[in-house]
């Protein structure tokens, strides 16, 4: 699949927390689609703006590779992949264009309930489990704290119980999951929500006008929602 020049392609989550609100927001912007039989592609009908339905983790890479023009993704995912990419390539390939006001959560350090929190220095020499090693690594460096980072792709909150780690760095919304695992949140590394992500460089073909139209409508909808 090649990034179209006269159509705009937006990647959104296929299923999960951001899937329905992302689609509802774009519908509020006057977009409508005809779905492909495999339900992975939605062809724009009211405007030449198509959707690709994917895993959220794939969205930054799809923008970087030009497969998609824009994407709706958590700031947490975008920031993690941006740090990793800048470390590898020395430059960003995508950035946040708008914050969208849904999917709110925090990326926080959590420690066992029974511990007293005295600050970042307390983490020195401990093992911290996370799915966000780049964000955590940068933060630990900023704090001047030398701790072990244990990268896990899921079930991070049970790592302390399993003896894989002493503390965790994970997304928190209500805090119920932490409480169920006898953990408590301490410091927040990132306040996250869903964002519209796009390339660092502006479009140079007819996608520019389409993106501008979409942003104008989006800003109107976001203002009304406030
Ligand atoms: O399949 P795919 O890879 O696309 O989906 P996914 O499972 O990776 O993502 P999904 O749908 O779980 O989350 C998508 C995005 O929603 C995240 O990247 C965040 O930007 C945002 N979001 C908002 C959250 C939460 N709130 C949240 N609470 N993502 C995850 N959680 C987790 C949290 O880590 C905890 O384990 O949900 C659990 C419940 O949270 P509590 O604190 O309410 O108990
Ligand atoms: Zn994911």
């Amino acid at each position: 699949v090649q990034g179209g020049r006269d159509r705009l392609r937006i990647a959104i989550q296929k299923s999960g927390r951001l899937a329905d609100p992302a689609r509802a927001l774009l519908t509020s912007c006057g977009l409508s689609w005809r779905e492909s039989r495999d339900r992975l592609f939605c062809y724009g009908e009211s405007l030449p703006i198509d959707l690709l339905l994917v895993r959220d983790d794939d969205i930054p890479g799809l923008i970087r590779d030009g497969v998609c023009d824009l994407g709706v993704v958590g700031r947490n995912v975008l920031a993690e992949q941006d740090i990793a990419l800048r470390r590898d390539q020395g430059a960003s390939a995508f950035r946040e264009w708008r914050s969208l006001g849904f999917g709110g959560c925090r990326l926080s350090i959590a420690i066992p309930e029974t511990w007293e929190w005295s600050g970042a220095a307390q983490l020195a020499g401990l093992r911290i489990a996370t799915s966000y090693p780049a964000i955590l690594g940068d933060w630990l460096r900023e704090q001047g704290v030398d701790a072990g980072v244990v990268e896990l792709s899921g079930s991070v909150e049970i790592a302390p119980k399993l003896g894989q780690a002493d503390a965790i760095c994970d997304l928190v919304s209500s805090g119920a999951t932490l409480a169920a695992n006898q953990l408590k949140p301490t410091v927040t590394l990132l306040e996250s929500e869903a964002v519209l992500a796009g390339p660092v460089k502006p479009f140079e073909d007819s996608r520019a006008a389409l993106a501008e139209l979409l942003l104008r409508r989006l800003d109107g909808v976001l203002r009304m929602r406030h």
Side-chain angles (χ1 to χ4, degrees), residues 34-194:
R34 196 174 60 233
E35 253 170 64
S36 70
R37 193 165 294 167
D38 59 11
R39 302 196 59 249
L40 297 177
F41 187 79
C42 303
Y43 185 83
E45 290 198 309
S46 56
L47 281 171
I49 302 182
D50 307 323
L51 298 184
L52 199 65
L53 309 185
V54 299
R55 292 282 310 271
D56 64 345
D57 319 76
D58 293 337
I59 292 175
L62 289 168
I63 297 171
R64 176 202 59 211
D65 296 342
V67 175
C68 287
D69 301 307
L70 302 171
V72 175
V73 63
R75 179 180 295 137
N76 47 299
V77 171
L78 201 67
E80 176 68 20
Q81 296 196 24
D82 184 51
I83 293 171
L85 194 70
R86 277 189 283 128
R87 213 173 269 163
D88 273 16
Q89 319 265 320
S92 294
F94 37 77
R95 65 176 178 83
E96 192 173 316
W97 279 24
R98 291 293 187 278
S99 56
L100 301 177
F102 60 87
C105 57
R106 314 185 301 282
L107 183 68
S108 301
I109 303 280
I111 59 173
E113 245 161 28
T114 52
W115 294 12
E116 206 71 59
W117 174 248
S118 58
Q122 180 182 356
L123 300 169
L126 300 185
R127 297 160 305 157
I128 310 171
T130 190
S131 306
Y132 297 87
I135 297 176
L136 176 59
D138 266 15
W139 181 81
L140 288 169
R141 222 175 340 271
E142 273 166 31
Q143 301 294 316
V145 171
D146 191 10
V149 175
V150 180
E151 184 175 353
L152 297 177
S153 56
S155 305
V156 170
E157 56 278 338
I158 62 166
K161 220 177 272 173
L162 297 179
Q164 289 171 300
D166 307 295
I168 69 168
C169 170
D170 199 11
L171 298 177
V172 186
S173 45
S174 70
T177 303
L178 291 183
N181 289 283
Q182 290 82 51
L183 298 169
K184 63 179 180 189
T186 62
V187 61
T188 292
L189 280 55
L190 178 76
E191 294 280 355
S192 187
E193 65 185 283

Side-chain angles (χ1 to χ4, degrees), residues 212-226:
E212 201 179 305
L213 171 68
L214 178 66
L215 285 180
R216 207 158 51 230
R217 292 190 181 183
L218 186 61
D219 289 339
V221 171
L222 294 172
R223 240 188 336 266
M224 299 256 291
R225 284 185 173 189
H226 233 76

